[in-house]
Amino acid sequence: KITVGDVEMPIVILGDPAYPLMPWLMKPYTGTLDTEKELFNYRLSKCRMVVECAFGCLKGRWRSLLTRSDLSQTNIPIVIAACCVLHNLWESKGETFMAGWEVEANRLAADYAQPDTWAIRRAQRDALRIREALKASFQSGQGNL
């Protein structure tokens, strides 16, 4: 972990606006944006594009990733890492990823809405502090990509 300003930064997953803002899940600002928020969104987007492509492949191979997971926060990175290792292993053995899998996974993903619970709303308060600290870091030049 690192500290940005006075906020300790956890390791985060990057998501798009459809996901809830969580301390471990950063998403872009929405609505009317000032220059600082636009810069934050731009930098987050550059990083997220790589993530989106990777998760598209994972969702195409493992459709269980399309549904809600009841895993603990501790186990989610382990499951994702295992999926990545298996994907790379299969690719190295010649079982290449089929583009149609990602198209089908995206179509199916539209059917699974994310839950809106009290725990998510409570965690979003902490996530707002983290996102604001990252935004300030991007403005200062410390967060250059």
Side-chain angles (χ1 to χ4, degrees):
K1 293 183 181 179
I2 62 170
T3 301
V4 176
D6 64 346
V7 177
E8 188 176 283
M9 292 289 135
I11 295 172
V12 297
I13 295 173
L14 307 179
D16 64 26
Y19 293 97
L21 180 65
M22 303 293 281
W24 51 270
L25 176 64
M26 282 295 104
K27 70 179 229 171
Y29 289 95
T30 57
T32 305
L33 306 177
D34 59 22
T35 305
E36 292 178 353
K37 290 178 181 177
E38 285 179 359
L39 177 62
F40 175 87
N41 284 359
Y42 172 74
R43 292 196 173 164
L44 189 73
S45 176
K46 282 178 66 175
C47 296
R48 199 181 77 235
M49 286 188 298
V50 175
V51 174
E52 293 290 330
C53 290
F55 269 93
C57 289
L58 295 179
K59 291 187 300 184
R61 282 201 191 263
W62 293 280
R63 300 218 173 147
S64 63
L65 295 176
L66 294 171
T67 62
R68 182 173 177 258
S69 172
D70 290 326
L71 295 172
S72 71
Q73 288 182 15
T74 305
N75 290 333
I76 290 172
I78 295 167
V79 169
I80 293 169
C83 290
C84 291
V85 168
L86 289 171
H87 170 80
N88 290 343
L89 178 65
W90 285 337
E91 288 284 321
S92 72
K93 299 294 182 187
E95 298 211 17
T96 58
F97 179 79
M98 305 294 245
W101 294 349
E102 186 173 1
V103 171
E104 178 69 4
N106 289 336
R107 187 188 65 73
L108 291 171
D111 295 337
Y112 298 103
Q114 295 294 316
D116 182 26
T117 66
W118 178 81
I120 289 174
R121 290 189 301 273
R122 185 185 65 192
Q124 287 176 336
R125 288 192 303 264
D126 294 334
L128 288 170
R129 288 186 64 238
I130 293 167
R131 185 168 67 179
E132 288 298 313
L134 286 171
K135 180 183 75 169
S137 172
F138 290 167
Q139 288 298 312
S140 71
Q142 293 175 343
N144 285 337
L145 298 175

